[in-house]
Amino acid sequence: GNEGATKATSKDGKVEMVRIGEGGLATWAFTPASPRPESAPVVLFLHGYRATDPYAYGGWIDHIVRSGNIVLFPIFEEDRDSPAERSMDNAIEGAKRALQKLKSDGPVKPDTSRFAIVGHSFGGGLSTVIAARAKDVGFPPRRPSWRCSLAGREMPMTFRQSTSRPCRVPCC
């Protein structure tokens, strides 16, 4: 339930990472390590074009995980010439395999009733398409989501939660 995620919230908490899968189907899974909840919400984090190293998003990923969430960071690009459709298929399949692995023997069980999709640049576009197709591809149906494109500065974004209350989200 929500108790585990609340207890995991710590700006000084430790983050654990593990690579699941290989090639374009590989996914980095980031979980709260200390404090470690029993279960946590899942954030599918889709990177920008050719930005397959999660180090480029380290601060953002750490913030999300230290807030009590699991982050799945699929690699999805096989090479420079990977077509967009294959990248999307790889992102979906890699994330689904990572979810299955975490469900069966992960240090923190994914709570897919609380599932978000975010992306940067190319990943922002993918996040919109994947969110629209969530039910068809086997992800939980989506509530309204947001996406972000970096322009070398912080870009606060406004979105509405399902309660229709406006929220301010520091994007980057």
Side-chain angles (χ1 to χ4, degrees), residues 36-113:
R36 184 184 309 271
E38 186 175 316
S39 67
V42 178
V43 176
L44 177 58
F45 191 113
L46 302 170
H47 62 78
Y49 180 70
R50 305 301 300 153
T52 59
D53 187 342
Y55 180 79
Y57 302 100
W60 199 0
I61 291 170
D62 281 352
H63 171 74
I64 295 169
V65 176
R66 288 179 180 161
S67 295
N69 302 284
I70 294 169
V71 170
L72 299 179
F73 185 96
I75 302 301
F76 67 75
E77 291 179 56
E78 295 171 349
D79 56 44
R80 264 199 185 301
D81 299 321
S82 291
E85 192 67 31
R86 183 175 324 133
S87 292
M88 183 178 68
D89 292 344
N90 284 350
I92 292 166
E93 186 60 30
K96 286 168 61 173
R97 289 179 185 187
L99 276 173
Q100 282 306 114
K101 179 77 171 157
L102 291 174
K103 283 179 184 177
S104 66
D105 64 350
V108 178
K109 301 300 179 217
D111 177 357
T112 56
S113 72

Coordinates of all heavy atoms in Angstrom, one line a residue, residues 36-113:
R36 N 14.2 0.9 2.6 CA 13.7 0.0 1.5 C 12.2 -0.3 1.8 O 12.0 -1.0 2.8 CB 14.5 -1.3 1.4 CG 14.1 -2.2 0.3 CD 14.8 -3.5 0.2 NE 16.2 -3.4 0.2 CZ 17.0 -3.2 -0.9 NH1 16.5 -3.1 -2.0 NH2 18.3 -3.2 -0.7
P37 N 11.3 0.1 1.0 CA 9.9 -0.2 1.2 C 9.7 -1.6 0.7 O 10.4 -2.2 -0.1 CB 9.2 0.8 0.3 CG 10.1 1.1 -0.8 CD 11.5 1.0 -0.2
E38 N 8.5 -2.2 1.1 CA 8.2 -3.5 0.5 C 7.7 -3.4 -0.9 O 8.1 -4.3 -1.7 CB 7.0 -4.1 1.4 CG 6.6 -5.5 1.0 CD 5.6 -6.0 2.0 OE1 5.7 -5.8 3.2 OE2 4.6 -6.7 1.4
S39 N 7.0 -2.3 -1.2 CA 6.6 -2.1 -2.6 C 6.6 -0.6 -2.9 O 6.7 0.2 -1.9 CB 5.1 -2.6 -2.8 OG 4.2 -1.8 -2.1
A40 N 6.6 -0.2 -4.2 CA 6.7 1.2 -4.5 C 6.0 1.4 -5.9 O 6.0 0.5 -6.7 CB 8.2 1.6 -4.6
P41 N 5.6 2.6 -6.1 CA 5.0 3.0 -7.4 C 6.1 2.9 -8.5 O 7.3 2.9 -8.1 CB 4.6 4.5 -7.3 CG 4.5 4.7 -5.8 CD 5.5 3.7 -5.2
V42 N 5.7 2.8 -9.7 CA 6.7 2.7 -10.8 C 6.6 3.9 -11.8 O 5.6 4.3 -12.1 CB 6.3 1.4 -11.6 CG1 7.3 1.2 -12.8 CG2 6.4 0.2 -10.8
V43 N 7.8 4.4 -12.1 CA 8.0 5.4 -13.1 C 8.8 4.9 -14.3 O 9.9 4.5 -14.1 CB 8.7 6.7 -12.5 CG1 8.9 7.7 -13.6 CG2 7.9 7.2 -11.4
L44 N 8.1 4.8 -15.4 CA 8.8 4.4 -16.7 C 9.5 5.7 -17.2 O 8.8 6.6 -17.6 CB 7.8 3.8 -17.7 CG 8.4 3.4 -19.0 CD1 9.5 2.4 -18.9 CD2 7.2 2.9 -19.9
F45 N 10.8 5.7 -17.3 CA 11.5 6.9 -17.6 C 12.2 6.7 -19.0 O 13.0 5.8 -19.2 CB 12.6 7.2 -16.6 CG 13.3 8.5 -16.7 CD1 13.1 9.4 -15.7 CD2 14.2 8.8 -17.7 CE1 13.8 10.6 -15.8 CE2 14.8 10.0 -17.8 CZ 14.6 10.9 -16.8
L46 N 11.7 7.4 -20.0 CA 12.2 7.2 -21.4 C 13.1 8.3 -21.8 O 12.8 9.5 -21.7 CB 11.0 7.2 -22.3 CG 10.0 6.1 -22.0 CD1 8.7 6.3 -22.8 CD2 10.6 4.7 -22.2
H47 N 14.4 8.0 -22.1 CA 15.4 8.9 -22.4 C 15.3 9.6 -23.8 O 14.5 9.1 -24.7 CB 16.8 8.2 -22.3 CG 17.0 7.1 -23.3 ND1 17.3 7.3 -24.6 CD2 16.9 5.7 -23.1 CE1 17.4 6.1 -25.2 NE2 17.1 5.1 -24.3
G48 N 16.1 10.6 -24.0 CA 16.2 11.3 -25.3 C 17.0 10.5 -26.3 O 17.7 9.5 -25.9
Y49 N 16.9 10.9 -27.5 CA 17.6 10.2 -28.6 C 19.1 10.1 -28.3 O 19.7 11.1 -28.0 CB 17.4 10.9 -29.9 CG 18.0 10.3 -31.1 CD1 17.6 9.1 -31.6 CD2 19.1 10.9 -31.7 CE1 18.2 8.5 -32.7 CE2 19.8 10.3 -32.8 CZ 19.3 9.1 -33.3 OH 19.9 8.5 -34.4
R50 N 19.6 8.9 -28.3 CA 21.0 8.5 -28.1 C 21.5 8.8 -26.7 O 22.7 8.7 -26.4 CB 22.0 9.3 -29.1 CG 21.7 9.0 -30.6 CD 21.7 7.6 -31.0 NE 23.0 7.0 -30.8 CZ 23.2 5.7 -30.6 NH1 22.2 4.9 -30.6 NH2 24.5 5.3 -30.5
A51 N 20.6 9.1 -25.8 CA 21.0 9.4 -24.4 C 20.7 8.1 -23.5 O 20.0 8.2 -22.6 CB 20.2 10.6 -23.8
T52 N 21.4 7.0 -23.9 CA 21.1 5.7 -23.3 C 21.8 5.5 -22.0 O 21.5 4.5 -21.4 CB 21.5 4.6 -24.3 OG1 22.9 4.7 -24.6 CG2 20.7 4.7 -25.6
D53 N 22.6 6.4 -21.6 CA 23.3 6.2 -20.3 C 22.5 7.0 -19.2 O 22.4 8.2 -19.3 CB 24.7 6.9 -20.4 CG 25.6 6.6 -19.2 OD1 25.0 6.3 -18.1 OD2 26.8 6.7 -19.3
P54 N 22.0 6.2 -18.2 CA 21.2 6.9 -17.2 C 22.0 7.9 -16.4 O 21.3 8.8 -15.7 CB 20.7 5.7 -16.3 CG 21.6 4.6 -16.6 CD 22.1 4.8 -18.0
Y55 N 23.3 7.9 -16.5 CA 24.1 8.9 -15.8 C 23.7 10.3 -16.2 O 23.6 11.3 -15.3 CB 25.6 8.7 -16.0 CG 26.4 9.7 -15.3 CD1 26.7 9.5 -14.0 CD2 27.0 10.8 -16.0 CE1 27.5 10.4 -13.3 CE2 27.8 11.7 -15.3 CZ 28.1 11.5 -14.0 OH 28.8 12.4 -13.3
A56 N 23.3 10.5 -17.4 CA 22.9 11.9 -17.9 C 21.6 12.4 -17.1 O 21.4 13.6 -17.1 CB 22.6 11.8 -19.4
Y57 N 20.9 11.5 -16.6 CA 19.6 11.8 -15.9 C 19.8 11.5 -14.4 O 18.8 11.4 -13.7 CB 18.5 11.1 -16.4 CG 18.2 11.3 -17.9 CD1 18.7 10.4 -18.9 CD2 17.6 12.5 -18.3 CE1 18.5 10.6 -20.2 CE2 17.4 12.7 -19.7 CZ 17.8 11.8 -20.6 OH 17.6 12.0 -22.0
G58 N 21.0 11.3 -13.9 CA 21.2 10.9 -12.5 C 20.5 11.6 -11.4 O 19.8 11.1 -10.6
G59 N 20.5 13.0 -11.5 CA 19.9 13.8 -10.5 C 18.4 13.6 -10.5 O 17.7 13.5 -9.4
W60 N 17.8 13.6 -11.7 CA 16.4 13.4 -11.8 C 15.9 12.0 -11.4 O 15.0 11.9 -10.6 CB 16.0 13.6 -13.3 CG 14.6 13.9 -13.6 CD1 13.5 14.0 -12.8 CD2 14.0 14.1 -14.9 NE1 12.4 14.3 -13.4 CE2 12.7 14.3 -14.8 CE3 14.6 14.1 -16.2 CZ2 11.8 14.6 -15.9 CZ3 13.7 14.4 -17.3 CH2 12.4 14.6 -17.1
I61 N 16.7 11.0 -11.8 CA 16.3 9.6 -11.4 C 16.5 9.5 -9.8 O 15.6 8.9 -9.2 CB 17.2 8.6 -12.1 CG1 16.8 8.5 -13.6 CG2 17.1 7.2 -11.5 CD1 17.8 7.8 -14.5
D62 N 17.6 9.9 -9.3 CA 17.8 9.9 -7.8 C 16.6 10.5 -7.1 O 16.1 10.0 -6.1 CB 19.1 10.5 -7.4 CG 20.3 9.6 -7.6 OD1 20.1 8.4 -8.0 OD2 21.4 10.1 -7.5
H63 N 16.2 11.7 -7.6 CA 15.1 12.4 -6.9 C 13.8 11.6 -6.9 O 13.1 11.5 -5.9 CB 14.8 13.8 -7.6 CG 13.6 14.4 -7.1 ND1 13.5 15.1 -5.9 CD2 12.4 14.6 -7.7 CE1 12.3 15.5 -5.8 NE2 11.6 15.3 -6.8
I64 N 13.5 11.0 -8.1 CA 12.3 10.2 -8.2 C 12.4 8.9 -7.3 O 11.4 8.6 -6.5 CB 12.1 9.7 -9.6 CG1 11.8 11.0 -10.5 CG2 10.9 8.7 -9.7 CD1 11.8 10.7 -12.0
V65 N 13.5 8.3 -7.2 CA 13.7 7.0 -6.4 C 13.7 7.4 -4.9 O 13.1 6.7 -4.1 CB 14.9 6.2 -6.8 CG1 15.1 5.0 -5.9 CG2 14.8 5.8 -8.3
R66 N 14.4 8.5 -4.6 CA 14.5 8.9 -3.2 C 13.1 9.4 -2.7 O 12.9 9.5 -1.5 CB 15.5 9.9 -2.9 CG 16.9 9.3 -3.1 CD 18.0 10.3 -2.9 NE 19.3 9.6 -3.0 CZ 20.4 10.3 -3.2 NH1 20.4 11.6 -3.4 NH2 21.5 9.6 -3.3
S67 N 12.2 9.6 -3.6 CA 10.8 10.0 -3.2 C 10.0 8.8 -3.1 O 8.7 8.9 -2.9 CB 10.2 10.9 -4.3 OG 11.0 12.2 -4.3
G68 N 10.6 7.6 -3.1 CA 9.8 6.4 -2.8 C 9.3 5.6 -4.0 O 8.4 4.8 -3.9
N69 N 9.9 5.8 -5.2 CA 9.5 5.2 -6.4 C 10.5 4.3 -7.0 O 11.7 4.4 -6.8 CB 9.1 6.2 -7.5 CG 8.1 7.2 -7.0 OD1 6.9 6.9 -6.9 ND2 8.5 8.4 -6.6
I70 N 10.1 3.3 -7.8 CA 10.9 2.5 -8.7 C 11.0 3.2 -10.0 O 10.0 3.7 -10.5 CB 10.4 1.1 -8.9 CG1 10.3 0.3 -7.6 CG2 11.1 0.4 -10.0 CD1 9.5 -1.0 -7.7
V71 N 12.2 3.4 -10.6 CA 12.4 3.9 -11.9 C 12.9 2.8 -12.9 O 13.9 2.2 -12.6 CB 13.4 5.1 -12.0 CG1 13.7 5.5 -13.4 CG2 12.8 6.3 -11.2
L72 N 12.2 2.7 -14.0 CA 12.6 1.8 -15.0 C 13.1 2.6 -16.2 O 12.4 3.5 -16.7 CB 11.5 0.9 -15.5 CG 10.9 -0.1 -14.5 CD1 9.7 -0.9 -15.1 CD2 11.9 -1.0 -13.9
F73 N 14.4 2.4 -16.6 CA 15.0 3.2 -17.6 C 15.4 2.3 -18.8 O 16.5 1.7 -18.8 CB 16.3 3.9 -17.0 CG 17.0 4.8 -17.9 CD1 16.7 6.2 -17.9 CD2 18.0 4.4 -18.8 CE1 17.4 7.1 -18.7 CE2 18.7 5.2 -19.6 CZ 18.4 6.6 -19.6
P74 N 14.5 2.0 -19.7 CA 14.8 1.1 -20.8 C 15.8 1.7 -21.8 O 15.7 2.9 -22.1 CB 13.5 0.8 -21.5 CG 12.6 1.9 -21.0 CD 13.1 2.5 -19.8
I75 N 16.8 0.9 -22.3 CA 17.8 1.4 -23.2 C 17.1 1.7 -24.6 O 17.3 2.7 -25.2 CB 18.9 0.5 -23.4 CG1 19.6 0.2 -22.0 CG2 19.9 0.9 -24.4 CD1 20.1 1.5 -21.3
F76 N 16.3 0.8 -25.1 CA 15.5 0.7 -26.3 C 16.1 1.0 -27.6 O 15.6 0.6 -28.7 CB 14.2 1.5 -26.1 CG 14.2 3.0 -26.0 CD1 14.5 3.8 -27.1 CD2 13.9 3.6 -24.8 CE1 14.4 5.2 -27.0 CE2 13.9 5.0 -24.7 CZ 14.1 5.7 -25.8
E77 N 17.3 1.6 -27.7 CA 17.9 1.9 -29.0 C 19.0 0.8 -29.2 O 19.9 0.6 -28.4 CB 18.6 3.2 -29.0 CG 17.6 4.4 -29.1 CD 18.3 5.7 -29.1 OE1 19.1 6.0 -30.0 OE2 18.0 6.5 -28.2
E78 N 18.9 0.1 -30.3 CA 19.9 -1.0 -30.6 C 21.2 -0.4 -31.2 O 22.3 -0.8 -31.0 CB 19.3 -2.0 -31.5 CG 18.2 -2.7 -30.8 CD 17.4 -3.6 -31.8 OE1 17.6 -3.5 -33.0 OE2 16.6 -4.4 -31.3
D79 N 21.0 0.6 -32.0 CA 22.1 1.3 -32.7 C 21.6 2.7 -33.2 O 20.5 3.0 -33.1 CB 22.7 0.5 -33.8 CG 21.7 0.1 -34.9 OD1 20.9 0.9 -35.3 OD2 21.7 -1.1 -35.3
R80 N 22.5 3.4 -33.9 CA 22.2 4.7 -34.4 C 21.0 4.7 -35.4 O 20.3 5.7 -35.5 CB 23.4 5.4 -35.1 CG 24.2 6.3 -34.2 CD 25.0 7.2 -35.1 NE 25.9 8.0 -34.3 CZ 25.5 8.9 -33.4 NH1 24.3 9.0 -33.1 NH2 26.4 9.6 -32.8
D81 N 20.8 3.6 -36.1 CA 19.8 3.6 -37.1 C 18.5 2.9 -36.7 O 17.7 2.5 -37.5 CB 20.4 2.8 -38.3 CG 21.6 3.5 -38.9 OD1 21.6 4.8 -38.9 OD2 22.6 2.8 -39.3
S82 N 18.4 2.7 -35.4 CA 17.1 2.0 -34.9 C 15.9 2.9 -35.3 O 15.8 4.0 -34.9 CB 17.2 1.9 -33.4 OG 18.1 1.0 -33.0
P83 N 15.0 2.3 -36.0 CA 13.8 3.0 -36.4 C 12.9 3.3 -35.1 O 13.0 2.5 -34.1 CB 13.0 2.1 -37.3 CG 13.8 0.8 -37.4 CD 15.0 0.9 -36.6
A84 N 12.2 4.4 -35.1 CA 11.4 4.8 -34.0 C 10.4 3.7 -33.5 O 10.3 3.5 -32.3 CB 10.6 6.1 -34.3
E85 N 9.8 3.0 -34.5 CA 8.8 2.0 -34.1 C 9.5 0.8 -33.3 O 9.0 0.3 -32.4 CB 8.1 1.4 -35.4 CG 6.9 0.6 -35.1 CD 5.8 1.3 -34.4 OE1 5.6 2.5 -34.7 OE2 5.0 0.7 -33.6
R86 N 10.7 0.4 -33.8 CA 11.5 -0.6 -33.1 C 11.9 -0.1 -31.7 O 11.8 -0.9 -30.7 CB 12.7 -1.1 -33.8 CG 13.4 -2.2 -33.1 CD 14.5 -2.9 -33.7 NE 14.4 -3.1 -35.2 CZ 15.4 -2.8 -36.0 NH1 16.6 -2.3 -35.6 NH2 15.2 -2.9 -37.3
S87 N 12.3 1.1 -31.6 CA 12.7 1.7 -30.3 C 11.5 1.6 -29.3 O 11.6 1.3 -28.2 CB 13.1 3.1 -30.5 OG 14.4 3.2 -31.2
M88 N 10.3 2.0 -29.8 CA 9.1 2.0 -29.0 C 8.8 0.5 -28.5 O 8.5 0.3 -27.4 CB 7.9 2.6 -29.7 CG 6.7 2.6 -28.8 SD 5.2 3.3 -29.5 CE 4.9 2.1 -30.8
D89 N 8.8 -0.4 -29.5 CA 8.6 -1.8 -29.1 C 9.6 -2.3 -28.1 O 9.3 -3.0 -27.2 CB 8.7 -2.7 -30.4 CG 7.5 -2.4 -31.4 OD1 6.5 -1.8 -31.0 OD2 7.6 -2.9 -32.5
N90 N 10.9 -1.9 -28.3 CA 11.9 -2.3 -27.3 C 11.7 -1.7 -26.0 O 11.9 -2.4 -24.9 CB 13.3 -1.9 -27.9 CG 13.8 -2.8 -29.0 OD1 13.3 -3.9 -29.3 ND2 14.9 -2.4 -29.6
A91 N 11.3 -0.5 -25.9 CA 11.0 0.2 -24.6 C 9.9 -0.5 -23.9 O 10.0 -0.8 -22.7 CB 10.7 1.7 -24.8
I92 N 8.9 -0.9 -24.6 CA 7.7 -1.6 -24.0 C 8.1 -3.0 -23.5 O 7.9 -3.3 -22.4 CB 6.5 -1.7 -25.0 CG1 6.0 -0.3 -25.3 CG2 5.5 -2.6 -24.5 CD1 5.0 -0.2 -26.5
E93 N 8.8 -3.7 -24.4 CA 9.1 -5.1 -24.1 C 10.2 -5.1 -23.0 O 10.1 -5.9 -22.0 CB 9.6 -5.9 -25.3 CG 9.9 -7.3 -25.1 CD 8.7 -8.1 -24.6 OE1 7.5 -7.8 -25.0 OE2 8.9 -9.1 -23.8
G94 N 11.2 -4.3 -23.0 CA 12.2 -4.2 -22.0 C 11.7 -3.9 -20.6 O 12.0 -4.5 -19.6
A95 N 10.7 -2.9 -20.6 CA 10.1 -2.5 -19.3 C 9.2 -3.6 -18.8 O 9.2 -3.8 -17.6 CB 9.3 -1.2 -19.5
K96 N 8.5 -4.3 -19.7 CA 7.6 -5.4 -19.2 C 8.5 -6.5 -18.6 O 8.1 -7.1 -17.6 CB 6.8 -5.9 -20.3 CG 5.6 -4.9 -20.7 CD 4.9 -5.2 -22.0 CE 4.2 -6.5 -22.0 NZ 3.4 -6.7 -23.3
R97 N 9.6 -6.8 -19.3 CA 10.5 -7.9 -18.7 C 11.1 -7.5 -17.4 O 11.2 -8.3 -16.5 CB 11.6 -8.2 -19.7 CG 11.1 -8.9 -21.0 CD 12.3 -9.1 -21.9 NE 11.8 -9.7 -23.2 CZ 12.5 -10.2 -24.1 NH1 13.9 -10.1 -24.0 NH2 12.0 -10.7 -25.2
A98 N 11.5 -6.2 -17.3 CA 12.0 -5.7 -16.0 C 10.9 -5.7 -14.9 O 11.2 -6.1 -13.8 CB 12.6 -4.3 -16.2
L99 N 9.7 -5.4 -15.2 CA 8.6 -5.4 -14.2 C 8.4 -6.9 -13.8 O 8.3 -7.1 -12.6 CB 7.3 -4.9 -14.8 CG 7.1 -3.4 -14.8 CD1 5.8 -3.1 -15.6 CD2 7.0 -2.9 -13.4
Q100 N 8.4 -7.8 -14.7 CA 8.3 -9.2 -14.3 C 9.4 -9.7 -13.4 O 9.2 -10.4 -12.4 CB 8.2 -10.1 -15.6 CG 6.9 -10.1 -16.3 CD 5.7 -10.4 -15.3 OE1 4.9 -9.6 -15.1 NE2 5.7 -11.6 -14.8
K101 N 10.7 -9.3 -13.8 CA 11.8 -9.7 -12.9 C 11.7 -9.1 -11.5 O 11.9 -9.8 -10.5 CB 13.1 -9.2 -13.6 CG 14.4 -9.5 -12.9 CD 14.8 -10.9 -13.0 CE 16.2 -11.1 -12.4 NZ 16.4 -12.5 -12.1
L102 N 11.3 -7.8 -11.4 CA 11.2 -7.2 -10.1 C 10.0 -7.8 -9.3 O 10.1 -8.0 -8.1 CB 10.9 -5.7 -10.3 CG 12.1 -4.9 -10.7 CD1 11.7 -3.4 -11.0 CD2 13.3 -5.0 -9.8
K103 N 8.9 -8.2 -10.0 CA 7.8 -8.9 -9.3 C 8.2 -10.2 -8.8 O 7.8 -10.6 -7.7 CB 6.6 -9.0 -10.3 CG 5.8 -7.8 -10.5 CD 4.7 -8.1 -11.5 CE 3.9 -6.8 -11.9 NZ 2.9 -7.1 -12.9
S104 N 9.0 -10.9 -9.5 CA 9.4 -12.3 -9.1 C 10.5 -12.3 -8.0 O 10.5 -13.1 -7.1 CB 9.8 -13.2 -10.3 OG 11.0 -12.7 -10.9
D105 N 11.5 -11.5 -8.2 CA 12.6 -11.5 -7.2 C 13.4 -10.2 -7.0 O 14.5 -10.2 -6.7 CB 13.6 -12.6 -7.5 CG 14.3 -12.5 -8.8 OD1 13.9 -11.6 -9.6 OD2 15.3 -13.2 -9.1
G106 N 12.6 -9.1 -7.2 CA 13.3 -7.8 -7.0 C 13.3 -7.4 -5.5 O 12.6 -7.9 -4.7
P107 N 14.2 -6.5 -5.2 CA 14.3 -6.0 -3.8 C 13.1 -5.2 -3.3 O 12.8 -5.2 -2.1 CB 15.6 -5.2 -3.8 CG 15.7 -4.7 -5.2 CD 15.1 -5.8 -6.1
V108 N 12.4 -4.6 -4.3 CA 11.2 -3.8 -4.0 C 10.2 -4.3 -5.0 O 10.5 -4.2 -6.2 CB 11.4 -2.3 -4.1 CG1 10.2 -1.5 -3.8 CG2 12.5 -1.9 -3.1
K109 N 9.0 -4.7 -4.6 CA 8.0 -5.1 -5.5 C 7.3 -3.9 -6.2 O 6.9 -3.0 -5.5 CB 6.9 -6.0 -4.8 CG 7.5 -7.2 -4.1 CD 8.1 -8.1 -5.1 CE 8.7 -9.3 -4.4 NZ 9.9 -9.8 -4.9
P110 N 7.1 -3.9 -7.5 CA 6.5 -2.8 -8.2 C 5.0 -2.8 -7.9 O 4.3 -3.8 -8.0 CB 6.8 -3.1 -9.7 CG 7.1 -4.6 -9.7 CD 7.6 -5.0 -8.4
D111 N 4.5 -1.6 -7.5 CA 3.1 -1.4 -7.4 C 2.5 -0.8 -8.7 O 2.6 0.4 -8.8 CB 2.8 -0.5 -6.2 CG 1.3 -0.1 -6.0 OD1 0.5 -0.6 -6.8 OD2 1.0 0.6 -5.0
T112 N 2.1 -1.6 -9.6 CA 1.7 -1.1 -10.9 C 0.3 -0.4 -10.9 O -0.1 0.1 -11.9 CB 1.7 -2.2 -12.0 OG1 0.9 -3.3 -11.5 CG2 3.1 -2.7 -12.2
S113 N -0.4 -0.4 -9.7 CA -1.6 0.4 -9.6 C -1.2 1.9 -9.6 O -2.1 2.8 -9.7 CB -2.4 0.0 -8.4 OG -1.8 0.4 -7.2

